[in-house]
Amino acid sequence: MLRAFSTRMFVLALATGILISLSTPLTYLCLAWKTRQAETAALTHQIAREAQEIIISNSDNLEYTVLQLNNLVARYQQKPDIKHIRITTHRITSEAALTTTPPSLFDTVQRADINVRGTTPGYVEITATLASTIMSTTLLLGIFLGLALLTNMLLYCLPVSIVDENSTILRNMSDKLKRTADELSHVKSILEQTALLDCKTGLYNASQCIKRLDEEMNRILRYGGAVTLLILDIDHFRIYNDLHGHIQGDEALVTLAMLLKTQIRSNDLAGRFDGEKFFVVLPDLEKNQAVTTADRLRASIAIHPFPNVEQLPGGKLTASIGMSIYAGGSLTSQQFIEQADQALAQAKNSGRNKVVIYQASAMTTLP
């Protein structure tokens, strides 16, 4: 399997290497060709300008003009890659050539006219070769092909054990990344859950309680039914805190939270609103069932043996509960909470350790 994979990779890399090896020198050759043509054309125009000056300055002395033009041709003939220079006028021809053969496929020929007082008495013609450029391009092509073949041979001849080792490393890295992703997902779920909970008691926080209350009220508007809201407040909790400190007060809050969890159903919701005030949302209960649940919560707190409660009024830690029932209508969740809060205030004012049911006409206090 690994050998077949290596063979396929070798063929693919070899083809890619050959294409790159060919394209790079050919691109260089095209650029060099254009550059040589431009340089030869510039040189041709330069010689034409100098020949023009010689003809104008020696127009009366033909022999001296010929001598000067021959010197001009000989001087520029020394430049690299110049095969042939010819200066031709109506009366004379000056030229120098490295060879008498006609221009080849790899030669460039450039011509420029000689202008004298508005006339064209002759021209300059230069033949330049690209032999050196072609040789360097061929050398470059050989180097690229050699490197491509060497690289691919090394790739093909790579021991399978190294490939196996790399595969093992990649698998280990993949497994590690997967474990890290799972851990991050677990941490994310914990953070999301923590954002919904009260850090001290582990119950839902106030925002989550209100969100659940809104959901239940919307459900009742669509499908009917009823939802009961209990707001529970610990009686004389500030006295308990002042007497025994906030650490023991926090322990009492945690204990009360555990009592709430054990006394409600799985589809009910218990949460801490703030301080010593708690929420309980009871969906789909008849009024008498909701009253029974509220009174059971109150009694379970009153009989629980909280420590160091002898100095509290009544010698025990108790809670007052305000209760309101929503069965549909234009009531908002905030108004629903205010009804239960008013019932809680009535429970506090009527002696504490009581359950009071909100009613628009008069509050009902359980005995």
Side-chain angles (χ1 to χ4, degrees):
M1 180 67 179
L2 291 173
R3 179 63 64 184
F5 175 75
S6 297
T7 302
R8 288 195 297 269
M9 290 299 296
F10 170 75
V11 173
L12 178 61
L14 179 60
T16 304
I18 291 175
L19 288 175
I20 294 174
S21 300
L22 290 174
S23 62
T24 303
L26 289 177
T27 302
Y28 168 76
L29 179 60
C30 292
L31 292 175
W33 187 293
K34 291 183 178 180
T35 302
R36 173 59 65 189
Q37 285 182 326
E39 290 175 350
T40 304
L43 181 62
T44 304
H45 284 86
Q46 180 179 342
I47 295 175
R49 287 192 297 270
E50 294 185 20
Q52 172 188 337
E53 293 176 359
I54 291 173
I55 293 171
I56 293 174
S57 61
N58 300 285
S59 58
D60 298 331
N61 191 339
L62 181 59
E63 292 183 1
Y64 187 72
T65 301
V66 172
L67 179 62
Q68 291 295 316
L69 291 177
N70 287 337
N71 290 337
L72 177 64
V73 169
R75 177 157 51 90
Y76 281 102
Q77 183 65 49
Q78 305 303 318
K79 288 186 172 291
D81 298 329
I82 300 298
K83 290 180 65 175
H84 183 211
I85 299 177
R86 170 182 291 178
I87 300 177
T88 300
T89 68
H90 296 325
R91 296 184 294 175
I92 57 174
T93 297
S94 297
E95 63 180 316
L98 296 177
T99 176
T100 57
T101 58
S104 68
L105 179 63
F106 302 107
D107 292 340
T108 177
V109 179
Q110 299 292 331
R111 175 180 290 190
D113 292 334
I114 301 173
N115 296 312
V116 177
R117 300 184 180 94
T119 63
T120 307
Y123 62 88
V124 176
E125 183 180 270
I126 297 180
T127 302
T129 181
L130 292 173
S132 60
T133 303
I134 293 172
M135 290 180 61
S136 61
T137 303
T138 304
L139 179 61
L140 186 63
L141 178 61
I143 293 173
F144 271 80
L145 285 174
L147 288 175
L149 290 172
L150 179 61
T151 302
N152 285 280
M153 288 302 297
L154 289 174
L155 177 65
Y156 184 71
C157 297
L158 189 69
V160 177
S161 59
I162 297 179
V163 178
D164 288 336
E165 182 181 354
N166 290 338
S167 299
T168 303
I169 293 173
L170 289 175
R171 281 196 300 271
N172 292 338
M173 290 178 64
S174 177
D175 294 340
K176 185 176 181 180
L177 288 173
K178 186 177 182 302
R179 288 194 301 271
T180 302
D182 292 340
E183 292 173 359
L184 289 175
S185 177
H186 180 63
V187 171
K188 180 183 176 183
S189 63
I190 292 175
L191 291 175
E192 289 175 348
Q193 186 67 19
T194 303
L196 305 178
L197 301 178
D198 173 62
C199 61
K200 188 170 294 184
T201 62
L203 299 178
Y204 286 105
N205 56 30
S207 61
Q208 187 63 19
C209 291
I210 295 173
K211 179 183 177 182
R212 175 67 181 278
L213 197 60
D214 284 327
E215 292 172 353
E216 290 295 332
M217 293 175 73
N218 290 331
R219 181 183 62 82
I220 290 167
L221 286 175
R222 291 184 179 181
Y223 308 110
V227 60
T228 301
L229 173 63
L230 306 180
I231 298 182
L232 181 151
D233 188 86
I234 303 175
D235 298 326
H236 305 298
F237 187 70
R238 291 188 180 180
I239 298 176
Y240 189 80
N241 257 342
D242 293 340
L243 289 174
H244 307 295
H246 290 283
I247 294 178
Q248 192 161 336
D250 290 344
E251 292 175 356
L253 293 175
V254 173
T255 302
L256 190 142
M258 293 300 299
L259 290 174
L260 292 181
K261 289 180 181 179
T262 58
Q263 296 294 327
I264 61 176
R265 303 168 300 172
S266 59
N267 62 326
D268 297 333
L269 180 141
R272 184 184 178 204
F273 195 63
D274 60 21
E276 64 271 20
K277 188 178 288 187
F278 294 82
F279 261 34
V280 179
V281 180
L282 306 172
D284 299 323
L285 281 183
E286 298 292 337
K287 180 178 179 180
N288 59 337
Q289 294 174 320
V291 169
T292 301
T293 301
D295 198 53
R296 185 173 65 248
L297 290 174
R298 179 201 60 78
S300 66
I301 296 170
I303 63 174
H304 187 80
F306 289 96
N308 304 318
V309 295
E310 296 80 9
Q311 294 178 306
L312 292 179
K316 57 184 177 180
L317 194 66
T318 60
S320 300
I321 300 176
M323 173 177 165
S324 183
I325 300 174
Y326 175 76
S330 59
L331 204 66
T332 65
S333 59
Q334 186 60 40
Q335 292 170 333
F336 189 27
I337 294 171
E338 289 175 358
Q339 288 181 356
D341 210 33
Q342 291 177 24
L344 174 62
Q346 179 66 27
K348 290 284 189 180
N349 294 332
S350 59
R352 294 183 171 83
N353 192 23
K354 296 181 182 298
V355 176
V356 174
I357 306 170
Y358 174 85
Q359 291 182 353
S361 57
M363 303 287 184
T364 301
T365 303
L366 298 185

